[in-house]
Amino acid sequence: MSAPAALPGAPHLVRDGAVLRLDGHDLAALGRRFGTPLYVYSRRAMLDALAGYQRALQGRRHLVCYAMKANSNLAVLQTFAQAGCGFDIVSGGELDRVLAAGGDAAKVVFSGVGKTAAEMRQALVAGVRCFNVESEGELERLDEVARATGVRAPVSLRVNPDVDAGTHPYISTGLKGNKFGIAHADALAAYRRAAALPGLRVVGIDCHIGSQITQVEPYLDTAERMLDLVVQVEAAGIALEHIDFGGGLGITYTDEAPPPAETLVRRLLERVDARGFGDREILFEPGRSLVGNAGVLLTEVQYLKPGRTDEGGRNFCIVDAAMNDLMRPAMYQAWMRIEPCRQRDGVPLRWDIVGPVCESGDWLGRERDLVVQAGDLLAVLSAGAYGMTMASNYNTRPRAAEVLLDGTQVHLVRERESTAELFARERLLPG
Ligand code: LLP
């Protein structure tokens, strides 16, 4: 029998003989114990991913703000809070989660293009570290809310550097045509405006150019453009205490080879130091690269529906997880690796792995060569990021349960929803 082999990009996930293990745990056994669909995460994999950022940032003022939209389970947030992280949030709801998980509001940066006045008030009262402001209109509103609340709002401007991150158009955010950030050419004027508003206190500069980025160059181009701005803004007498390079570092789903976080951060810091800004506090907002390869989605094969090959038909492997559980394939045509939890001997057939939802777009993987039978468990890999957080209740499907592995310990960190919960807030008409 061959030695246990780690799967690409996921060192904590190994094929041990026929058995697929995450952090040593037999995934098939977990699926049977907790039922499917089931998200399973490795706490150790998350902390190891974080350690790459931390090693490169050691010895300088920094804050890693985990972009919790990637995975906002309270136990995941608790893990990162205990490891010293702050959080990048995009809603009042996310702030509530940070606080419920024991996170520190003073380490929270509040991003997003559409913050409401109520969310601003909530964040000011909680004492967030800063607002990443994305438009002039938002500056004006934040100033009003801050003055009415009696708390000066710490502000960083999210600059749109107009750099092509080379990623999927839906998750590319740093180009001129995107809704995000303040155009590079308008940023200096926006800083002047911010500095003049009495309710605001300018503290930093930030950017975020996209997600699933697999090269260092777009980051370096962005850094140069950001640092050019820092020079201009400070020449105008406005001090910037921190520089936030956003998130976006990709992971390996198939054959992508993104730089390790440690390399990316070191290369960026070289630029920062070379331009004489080594004394500034450095922030990052990683999401996917901290949790993506730390999680899998387990699903049970319900039916096999082979096509008539003489008619060019497709073979459908119908599983109990669907687009409502994991939206990425349907939404971005994302390719996510699918592995049997127990490998069978035999000649593989080419399957489309599809869910029970009534949409042709409801698929998890297409044209996958697998030996499967009804009742088998499959694992969709790299599902730790943007899996559960994007799940819905479409087709009145309760959302999956979540398990967090912590060494030898197994913790159920979210119970499966019941259908009664799904319509508990609905009302029948009288009579
Ligand atoms: N900071 C800001 C302001 C963001 O908008 C995002 C992600 C991040 C940080 C974290 O980016 P990451 O390190 O995770 O790439 N649902 C899509 C990804 C959407 C990303 C949105 N913004 C997907 O499943 O691929």
Side-chain angles (χ1 to χ4, degrees):
M1 188 154 293
S2 53
L7 279 93
H12 300 266
L13 193 66
V14 300
R15 176 67 72 190
D16 178 6
V19 179
L20 189 62
R21 294 185 187 278
L22 181 58
D23 252 357
H25 296 265
D26 176 348
L27 286 172
L30 290 174
R32 299 287 176 221
R33 175 169 163 201
F34 294 99
T36 49
L38 180 72
Y39 278 99
V40 184
Y41 313 121
S42 157
R43 187 166 185 268
R44 193 180 309 162
M46 294 179 184
L47 292 175
D48 284 356
L50 174 64
Y53 285 91
Q54 287 173 327
R55 275 194 300 275
L57 287 161
Q58 208 176 6
R60 79 170 71 215
R61 285 191 304 135
H62 72 271
L63 186 61
V64 176
C65 292
Y66 166 54
M68 59 180 285
K69 63 171 77 71
N71 186 326
S72 59
N73 182 285
L74 293 188
V76 172
L77 304 184
Q78 180 188 27
T79 295
F80 286 117
Q82 286 172 350
C85 287
F87 297 93
D88 170 59
I89 65 166
V90 290
S91 71
E94 287 195 340
L95 179 54
D96 286 337
R97 278 185 181 271
V98 168
L99 300 178
D104 180 359
K107 292 183 175 177
V108 165
V109 299
F110 192 172
S111 300
V113 293
K115 301 173 194 79
T116 66
E119 286 175 320
M120 288 172 171
R121 240 183 327 269
Q122 179 193 353
L124 282 169
V125 171
V128 299
R129 184 197 160 113
C130 87
F131 291 82
N132 289 346
V133 171
E134 304 220 14
S135 64
E136 290 238 16
E138 188 187 334
L139 274 182
E140 309 286 340
R141 178 186 274 181
L142 184 57
D143 172 60
E144 273 168 38
V145 175
R147 284 186 287 120
T149 313
V151 185
R152 243 174 136 196
V155 160
S156 159
L157 294 192
R158 174 168 174 182
V159 174
N160 183 333
D162 194 22
V163 166
D164 187 356
T167 185
H168 190 288
Y170 282 16
I171 52 175
S172 183
T173 52
L175 275 168
K176 257 187 203 148
N178 297 128
K179 69 177 174 181
F180 297 100
I182 295 172
H184 194 270
D186 301 334
L188 182 56
Y191 268 109
R192 287 207 163 98
R193 181 76 190 125
L197 290 169
L200 308 184
R201 181 167 58 88
V202 173
V203 295
I205 185 166
D206 71 282
C207 66
H208 174 75
I209 57 170
S211 200
Q212 185 54 17
I213 300 167
T214 54
Q215 284 163 347
V216 177
E217 285 66 30
Y219 282 100
L220 297 180
D221 293 348
T222 300
E224 294 297 351
R225 291 180 62 75
M226 297 266 288
L227 296 172
D228 290 346
L229 256 178
V230 175
V231 172
Q232 291 174 33
V233 170
E234 296 205 327
I238 303 164
L240 299 174
E241 297 157 25
H242 77 245
I243 304 173
D244 176 348
F245 288 110
L249 179 60
I251 61 171
T252 303
Y253 288 97
T254 163
D255 56 0
E256 305 93 332
E262 193 168 350
T263 307
L264 170 69
V265 174
R266 283 194 199 288
R267 299 275 310 269
L268 275 168
L269 292 178
E270 278 166 22
R271 296 291 169 106
V272 170
D273 291 344
R275 299 278 301 262
F277 295 110
D279 58 335
R280 303 311 150 94
E281 184 168 10
I282 301 297
L283 271 59
F284 283 92
E285 303 168 1
R288 189 190 318 262
S289 55
L290 295 186
V291 293
N293 276 333
V296 299
L297 172 64
L298 301 184
T299 181
E300 185 184 67
V301 177
Q302 302 300 304
Y303 303 102
L304 294 179
K305 196 173 168 186
R308 295 275 303 264
T309 37
D310 54 334
E311 291 171 4
R314 300 173 81 89
N315 299 317
F316 292 105
C317 170
I318 302 167
V319 298
D320 67 356
M323 63 191 287
N324 75 293
D325 300 298
L326 181 62
M327 185 121 78
R328 303 192 68 257
M331 188 155 172
Y332 315 111
Q333 287 75 52
W335 192 96
M336 301 179 71
R337 193 178 175 106
I338 299 178
E339 287 281 330
C341 291
R342 287 284 157 80
Q343 207 150 38
R344 292 181 176 281
D345 293 330
V347 183
L349 265 185
R350 185 153 292 184
W351 297 99
D352 283 1
I353 317 295
V354 302
V357 162
C358 305
E359 305 244 1
S360 294
D362 178 28
W363 53 274
L364 299 178
R366 284 179 165 158
E367 301 190 352
R368 305 303 174 86
D369 295 336
L370 294 171
V371 185
V372 274
Q373 288 180 13
D376 284 1
L377 293 183
L378 301 178
V380 185
L381 309 194
S382 316
Y386 305 109
M388 189 62 179
T389 49
M390 292 175 73
S392 79
N393 295 119
Y394 188 38
N395 281 205
T396 305
R397 291 172 48 82
R399 279 175 297 175
E402 294 175 289
V403 162
L404 183 64
L405 306 174
D406 186 11
T408 57
Q409 309 267 349
V410 177
H411 300 284
L412 180 66
V413 292
R414 182 189 179 113
E415 289 175 28
R416 188 175 304 285
E417 269 171 346
S418 69
T419 49
E421 284 173 89
L422 301 191
F423 49 77
R425 287 173 185 278
E426 297 174 35
R427 296 289 178 267
L428 294 169
L429 295 175

